[in-house]
Amino acid sequence: MAVSTAPQLDAAELATASRPSEMPVSFEVNGKQRQLELDTRTTLLDALRDHLHLTGTKKGCDHGQCGACTVIVDGKRIYSCLTLAVMHEGGRVTTIEGLGTPDKLHPMQAAFVKHDGYQCGYCTPGQICSAVAMLDEIRAGVPSHVTPSLDQVPRITNMEMRERMSGNICRCGAYSNILEAMTEVAGGESA
Amino acid sequence: MRPFTYERATSARDAAAKAARTGAKFIAGGTNLLDLMKLEIEAPAHLIDVNGLDFDKIEDIPGGGIRIGALVTNTALASHPRIRRDYGLISRAIVAGASGQIRNKATTAGNLLQRTRCPYFYDPNMPCNKRRPGSGCAAIGGFNRQLGVIGTSEACIATFPSDMAVAMRALDASIETIKPDGSTRAIPIRDFHRLPGDTPHIENVLERGELITSVALPKPIGGTHIYHKVRDRASYAFALVSIAAVIQKDGTGRVAVGGIAPKPWRVEAAEAEMPRGAKAVAAMLLDGARPTQHNQFKLTLVERTLGAVMAEARA
């Protein structure tokens, strides 16, 4: 490693780097175009909660271990705490507020209510966003650790859903009710 | 998190040249880097976002192999029809690791470059030669049941945490890069990760600014592909021991081991022992191991997990 001979950032760049740096970013959130001027350090999670005041998405561990911050970006579920807002220029973000409203619940939201898929409710927005995108992943043929054969498309089973939801922790232990809610939404597809 | 400036790369060569400067770093999936930046274990002054580059394809290559773009996500790689059919070991290893959310973001190159999950590396209050060279190793006399048993040194007993890379080691992957001067090279995965020696902070052979553009796999070798991971919980946990094996009908095959060393651990000579059983293979694979009081169970676990894998292949 040729450390000593590496070109350096110039003095102006280093001075800039030691101060907070702001950047414009624009992306779509729940169908609405949003433009923000953000400190580059702002995670997507903090942009949603602190700048757009969409506080449905929760900060649990802030280290990608609990799943409370799960949102759907460009159709895929991700941890919003482990990505920078500026990395999503032109992206399309769906949060719990965009899935449904109290008057018009998303089927997964309605099923969580019906099956009591929570106790304290803190992990719930992440569980619901994760569950919605998880069913899409099975339908798209994404394999999982418990998929019996890579030659066959995975089926929506209890085992598949449990394995695929392991990135969402529920301290209250509502897992069995969450599973019932997901099973109901999967409906006839469920094995 | 320390402040940093941010830019989006416009070409691979441009990105490599910009990343050659002190304090600059690439970001792709970010699932490991951002976590470390929050803890200020990583503190880049400048981030170069490579997500816009054209490295998100999986393509057949002459000779029957396949080339995986550096930016292909773990989910996309595990799901790809030809990977599932011809390189099932890769799919199985990937879905044995992390969570759905992480796999949707994490990239092929980022997976190879992830840092250890040694708890002492993650705790800035503890000495760690990998995090702060020369400060000592708190893991050696500490709680180290997760940590390495072979390839380690007096300075560091951290393990390399990837599952995907263990499968790639068994399949003889080649890591393709571009340097700041525009030259390219292919690095066999066996030579890619470095053993810690007295410089555990240097984890691979990449030069400053060198950017991974793709990973190539040679033509399929057939056989039964098995990735068996043993961990403290059934999902979303790093390996205590994992075995990536490709076993042919005649009982010959290849074996790489994860969770025990600073790199995917494979000893080609040990594979000649496969017809004689797991005990013989494990003895040669683990020759020179230096376990601690807390992790010597891994030696037995490697042998037994390998035994289970070989039995599964025969079934």
Side-chain angles (χ1 to χ4, degrees):
Chain A
M1 302 286 281
V3 176
S4 58
T5 59
Q8 303 281 320
L9 296 171
D10 67 35
E13 285 173 308
L14 277 174
T16 308
S18 63
R19 288 196 309 270
S21 170
E22 296 216 334
M23 269 189 76
V25 62
S26 86
F27 42 70
E28 189 187 297
V29 182
N30 301 331
K32 239 163 92 179
Q33 199 59 37
R34 310 300 295 250
Q35 282 190 315
L36 294 168
E37 182 82 20
L38 295 174
D39 186 313
T40 51
R41 292 172 291 182
T42 312
T43 60
L44 179 60
L45 172 62
D46 288 343
L48 292 169
R49 288 182 55 84
D50 301 343
H51 296 266
L52 298 173
H53 309 295
L54 292 166
T55 53
T57 307
K58 297 294 188 264
K59 183 182 282 192
C61 69
D62 208 26
H63 288 283
Q65 295 170 10
C66 77
C69 70
T70 302
V71 298
I72 302 170
V73 177
D74 301 326
K76 307 270 187 342
R77 56 179 172 155
I78 66 167
Y79 295 141
S80 60
C81 76
L82 284 190
T83 191
L84 296 170
V86 292
M87 292 168 70
H88 294 281
E89 178 69 30
R92 194 164 39 86
V93 182
T94 303
T95 70
I96 189 72
E97 292 92 341
L99 280 181
T101 62
D103 300 328
K104 195 168 183 262
L105 294 177
H106 182 282
M108 191 66 78
Q109 290 171 316
F112 267 66
V113 173
K114 178 176 166 188
H115 293 280
D116 208 11
Y118 42 77
Q119 200 173 121
C120 82
Y122 197 80
C123 73
T124 313
Q127 297 277 3
I128 291 175
C129 286
S130 188
V132 167
M134 178 277 294
L135 291 179
D136 286 344
E137 287 169 13
I138 299 181
R139 292 181 193 116
V142 173
S144 87
H145 183 57
V146 300
T147 305
S149 166
L150 294 173
D151 303 334
Q152 290 156 6
V153 289
R155 297 189 310 153
I156 299 178
T157 63
N158 284 356
M159 280 297 287
E160 283 283 359
M161 290 191 284
R162 288 160 58 103
E163 159 61 23
R164 290 164 191 266
M165 291 294 288
S166 69
N168 290 84
I169 308 296
C170 172
R171 278 196 69 178
C172 304
Y175 297 112
S176 58
N177 294 4
I178 292 171
L179 189 60
E180 283 178 18
M182 296 188 298
T183 302
E184 173 162 326
V185 174
E189 300 170 65
S190 175
Chain B
M1 206 186 299
R2 304 272 181 83
F4 57 86
T5 49
Y6 168 94
E7 74 179 307
R8 299 184 185 101
T10 52
S11 76
R13 186 173 175 180
D14 178 57
K18 283 174 167 160
R21 299 176 302 170
T22 305
K25 214 166 177 66
F26 299 120
I27 188 164
T31 53
N32 189 205
L33 179 59
L34 280 169
D35 192 24
L36 294 168
M37 285 169 63
K38 289 179 185 191
L39 298 164
E40 299 191 358
I41 294 165
E42 297 270 11
H46 185 63
L47 279 186
I48 300 154
D49 182 346
V50 295
N51 283 295
L53 301 180
D54 185 29
F55 299 130
D56 58 353
K57 312 270 189 312
I58 299 176
E59 299 164 325
D60 292 347
I61 51 178
I66 199 162
R67 174 170 288 123
I68 303 154
L71 291 168
V72 171
T73 65
N74 288 179
T75 298
L77 182 54
S79 309
H80 189 270
R82 194 166 167 226
I83 296 291
R84 292 206 320 256
R85 190 187 72 211
D86 292 339
Y87 306 95
L89 196 62
I90 301 279
S91 290
R92 285 294 182 198
I94 287 173
V95 297
S99 67
Q101 291 96 320
I102 296 268
R103 294 191 296 266
N104 281 342
K105 259 282 167 211
T107 64
T108 304
N111 191 314
L112 293 170
L113 296 175
Q114 63 182 304
R115 313 288 312 268
T116 185
R117 263 59 175 195
C118 174
Y120 298 96
F121 173 71
Y122 264 79
D123 183 348
N125 298 309
M126 290 286 180
C128 170
N129 288 320
K130 189 185 277 298
R131 176 166 34 75
R132 197 148 50 85
S135 62
C137 173
I140 286 172
F143 181 73
N144 51 34
R145 92 180 253 288
Q146 283 277 355
L147 302 177
V149 296
I150 195 162
T152 54
S153 73
E154 295 298 319
C156 184
I157 58 169
T159 53
F160 177 61
S162 171
D163 291 296
M164 182 197 79
V166 182
M168 287 183 170
R169 178 68 180 89
L171 295 173
D172 286 331
S174 171
I175 296 157
E176 300 173 330
T177 69
I178 183 167
K179 294 187 193 183
D181 65 5
S183 64
T184 60
R185 66 169 169 159
I187 306 163
I189 192 168
R190 63 174 299 158
D191 301 327
F192 184 77
H193 294 101
R194 295 170 46 127
L195 293 181
D198 54 7
T199 55
H201 58 293
I202 303 172
E203 296 175 346
N204 56 60
V205 300
L206 291 179
E207 295 172 15
R208 193 176 282 278
E210 190 169 4
L211 176 68
I212 298 174
T213 54
S214 52
V215 174
L217 296 175
K219 72 170 197 259
I221 55 167
T224 302
H225 290 219
I226 299 173
Y227 191 79
H228 193 126
K229 180 173 179 179
V230 183
R231 42 186 162 174
D232 281 334
R233 64 180 181 191
S235 186
Y236 204 14
F238 291 99
L240 290 167
V241 161
S242 69
I243 303 278
V246 180
I247 301 179
Q248 307 294 343
K249 282 212 160 38
D250 63 2
T252 62
R254 301 181 183 185
V255 176
V257 187
I260 62 165
K263 62 191 287 184
W265 198 254
R266 182 176 171 199
V267 177
E268 277 83 345
E271 292 164 5
E273 300 292 316
M274 286 181 76
R276 276 176 284 285
K279 198 180 184 70
V281 180
M284 197 176 279
L285 253 171
L286 299 171
D287 184 36
R290 299 189 312 166
T292 68
Q293 181 194 340
H294 301 298
N295 70 14
Q296 59 188 356
F297 74 94
K298 288 192 176 190
L299 303 184
T300 316
L301 194 55
V302 168
E303 181 190 321
R304 290 182 183 170
T305 309
L306 180 59
V309 165
M310 291 166 71
E312 188 185 333
R314 281 193 302 271

